[in-house]
Amino acid sequence: MVAEVARYSDADLAEFKEIIQKKIEKAQADLDLIKSAYMNDLNNGTDDTSPTFKAFEEGSETMSKEANSQLATRQEKFIRDLKNALFRVENKTFGVCKVTGKLISKERLKIVPHATMSIEAKNLQR
């Protein structure tokens, strides 16, 4: 007798797929916004102000670009994780904890659909 592997039903997987696709769309829109802010090199017209103010302005601009770059990197990783979750939906392994092999709770997956570990497994890591 073959042991039945725990997995979510096709109906559940379809529901998760929809959640993930919506999150990918929103995350992609957010990433586009971050990138446009990062790429946007608006001149605030500080050419005629004192050199001291201009130095502060350039420092602030550099910090802002670095922060935007970090945000963009995190957002790209989030999108990649969501796409990996979509792949797991397609091959019907979505929602199975990679540590315990048990199903991750639906509540957790609805909030964090790219989760690969159950709360139980997460707590074991601490």
Side-chain angles (χ1 to χ4, degrees):
M1 181 151 202
V2 179
E4 179 67 27
V5 178
R7 77 170 188 86
Y8 279 106
S9 71
D10 290 349
D12 287 334
L13 291 175
E15 182 184 347
F16 286 127
K17 183 177 182 176
E18 195 174 312
I19 290 169
I20 295 166
Q21 285 173 327
K22 284 180 183 169
K23 284 195 181 268
I24 289 173
E25 284 172 24
K26 185 184 180 328
Q28 189 62 56
D30 290 348
L31 178 61
D32 293 344
L33 206 85
I34 293 166
K35 281 186 172 179
S36 73
Y38 174 75
M39 299 296 176
N40 200 357
D41 193 26
L42 288 176
N43 183 353
N44 290 335
T46 56
D47 297 338
D48 59 348
T49 59
S50 72
T52 308
F53 180 74
K54 188 162 174 56
F56 283 130
E57 187 70 21
E58 285 171 355
S60 171
E61 194 175 298
T62 301
M63 291 275 289
S64 176
K65 280 191 176 182
E66 284 176 17
N68 277 343
S69 177
Q70 286 176 340
L71 274 175
T73 301
R74 282 180 45 204
Q75 198 67 5
E76 285 168 346
K77 181 188 181 309
F78 179 53
I79 291 168
R80 188 175 59 245
D81 289 347
L82 286 170
K83 286 182 176 176
N84 287 339
L86 211 50
F87 179 74
R88 290 191 302 277
V89 167
E90 296 298 329
N91 68 21
K92 300 181 192 289
T93 59
F94 178 81
V96 179
C97 176
K98 68 180 184 182
V99 175
T100 65
K102 298 176 186 172
L103 287 181
I104 301 169
S105 76
K106 278 187 182 182
E107 293 71 30
R108 175 165 167 70
L109 290 171
K110 284 181 181 177
I111 298 167
V112 188
H114 56 289
T116 58
M117 291 168 46
S118 62
I119 296 293
E120 178 188 350
K122 276 286 220 194
N123 289 337
L124 289 174
Q125 282 191 323
R126 291 187 184 151

